[in-house]
Amino acid sequence: VLLLSDELMVRHDPGPGHPERPERLRAAQAALEDLEATRVTPTRATRAQIARVHEESHIDRVDSLHGRVDALDPDTSVSEHSVDAAYLAAGALVDATAAVTSGDDKRAFALVRPPGHHAEAQVAMGFCLFNNVAVAAAHAVAELGLERVLIVDWDVHHGNGTQHMFEARRDILFCSLHQYPFYPGSGAPDEQGRSAGEGYNVNVGLPAGCGPGDYLAAFDDVVLPIADAFAPQLVLVSAGFDAHRRDPLAGMELESETYADLTDKLLSVAERHADGRIVLCLEGGYDLKALGQSVRACADVLCGVAAPGANAEPTRGADAIAKTRAVHRPRWSI
Ligand SMILES: [Zn+2]
């Protein structure tokens, strides 16, 4: 297992009182301090790598904020080291993806800030400057020769940026589970991709109050069967931990152990189809204790610790899961 992180990403500071704070990364790093993994120092993403998914004008805008304290939008602020941190976060995902694709270690966890999944091609959004996972997925196809990449996004917020970047493609399948309706507003079940990518964008929009059984059922009934039919050569995970019951920003009820079960299920997909290649990427998660415990639960599974194997009994989420199944049944036989 490869573990990628760097002190520079702790030094990205959106300002006093901001939930996406430096202590988040410290808590995640501390939780993995004694993990038996190979520590890798990430390198910066290149402009060309980022430009596969972002417009040049957006990269210019981010570059113009180098070394400054400023804001890209009301939620998304930068400090002196933020632009460097953003390049390093995207680079960590590129490095992790390249390593698991060509090296002996097939599993990686990238602990990064700023997060990425809300960043759109043209603009920063929702604490995110560059879309780290999207940069990695595009790199895997363009540079590493992969033909099918699966991105699963279990952050409690919809991964709008990732969806929009890949919704017209069928080589990168995006699957998001999120609280719905909720920030950022997108992620309805009928947002299923367009033109060549129709059916390759999967949204499970769950009502507030969903717990472990709902998420596990959504995996068993939607995510896993579609993933098995798609047969990805790489599994990327936008791993936010803000669906945890302790999280202050959202209204879901997951336990830290739930994330071990979700990781275990995606690991099984990677083992069946992708030569075991899987990369977890930190997104949100705003309660420090929940974040540390959940990150550790995922990392332990990557290191071979057995997951709890909780029961997949949906409660509040049953209707939402049924809606997504109905949208995608024709293509994926789910
Ligand atoms: Zn989130």
Side-chain angles (χ1 to χ4, degrees), residues 117-118 155-157 242 284 286:
H117 72 152
H118 294 308
D155 187 281
V156 79
H157 303 98
D242 38 11
Y286 303 97

Side-chain angles (χ1 to χ4, degrees), residues 6-19:
D6 192 274
E7 179 64 21
L8 180 62
M9 292 184 284
V10 176
R11 296 167 76 186
H12 159 54
D13 185 1
H18 200 290

